Amino acid sequence: ATTPESVHVTAIVVDKDLGDGRRFKGVCTNYLKDLTDGSLVRSFIRRTTFKLPADPSVPVIMIGAGTGFAPLRGMCIDLDTRRKGGATLGDNILFFGCRRQDEDFMYAGEMDGWVQAKTLKHLFLAFSRDPDSFTGKVYVQDKLNDNASKILTALDNGAFLYVCGATNMAREIKKVAVPALLSPSRAL
């Protein structure tokens, strides 16, 4: 359960063979991985400036891949809490990508619950290492391109747009989205 008294961490354990007999291990992720129940972790929580619109009826477009989903998960939890409190939500959209559905899609149940509860109007998924038998690897930016009209409609309705994840993904999204938003025809 998510409460103000709990902290959730979304991380990928970094442990790579460098090919020359050495390993590169991420200090923080391996530290966390090796903890046992009841371990004390010295940490701090920083306030974020990453916020949802004050009016929950304003649509939100969230785009995230891998551990970049962590702040978006917090936003979805917040939106769902508002919905449960009686708020009317906007037509919220989540684009999420990870490598493998069977290994990396840890929050599938939560995402499905948000769609069922109407916290999210649309959920678009991309799995880059589970190739579609017809098109090959599928990335978040591919899903953005496939659903351009929904994005443009939401933006025309005042939607806020949030992108979280690796800089490569953000760069690819920018390549797809910015020209489309600036073009007179407004088509991705």
Side-chain angles (χ1 to χ4, degrees):
T2 302
T3 68
E5 295 83 29
S6 67
V7 175
H8 294 237
V9 176
T10 302
I12 294 174
V13 176
V14 177
D15 187 350
K16 295 182 180 179
D17 182 349
L18 298 176
D20 60 2
R22 296 180 302 148
R23 296 195 76 71
F24 176 77
K25 294 180 86 165
V27 175
C28 184
T29 56
N30 279 279
Y31 167 76
L32 292 171
K33 177 184 73 103
D34 293 338
L35 292 173
T36 58
D37 285 347
S39 295
L40 176 65
V41 177
R42 298 194 186 280
S43 62
F44 69 93
I45 299 173
R46 183 177 8 154
R47 288 215 178 270
T48 182
T49 57
F50 204 65
K51 304 222 184 267
L52 286 166
D55 179 356
S57 68
V58 173
V60 176
I61 303 167
M62 297 167 280
I63 305 167
T67 57
F69 175 63
L72 303 179
R73 179 175 179 246
M75 292 179 146
C76 288
I77 290 168
D78 188 302
L79 287 166
D80 199 49
T81 301
R82 293 179 188 195
R83 178 196 57 78
K84 289 175 182 173
T88 301
L89 300 182
D91 292 340
N92 301 312
I93 304 171
L94 173 61
F95 290 86
F96 172 76
C98 60
R99 291 182 178 176
R100 292 178 180 81
Q101 184 172 6
D102 61 343
E103 293 178 24
D104 305 319
F105 193 27
M106 299 180 300
Y107 300 108
E110 283 184 330
M111 290 181 194
D112 184 53
W114 296 326
V115 171
Q116 297 302 318
K118 307 283 190 252
T119 298
L120 296 174
K121 181 168 185 177
H122 300 288
L123 171 62
F124 300 104
L125 304 171
F127 302 104
S128 63
R129 300 300 183 271
D130 288 343
D132 178 297
S133 59
F134 300 108
T135 60
K137 293 179 180 179
V138 178
Y139 294 98
V140 169
Q141 54 270 29
D142 298 321
K143 293 295 182 173
L144 290 170
N145 215 13
D146 293 346
N147 296 282
S149 64
K150 288 178 179 59
I151 297 167
L152 295 174
T153 297
L155 290 170
D156 285 341
N157 289 327
F160 281 51
L161 175 69
Y162 301 92
V163 180
C164 300
T167 51
N168 280 352
M169 180 203 66
R171 208 176 353 242
E172 291 302 315
I173 288 169
K174 186 176 179 180
K175 277 188 209 174
V176 171
V178 171
L181 293 172
L182 298 176
S183 78
S185 63
R186 302 261 324 245
L188 296 177

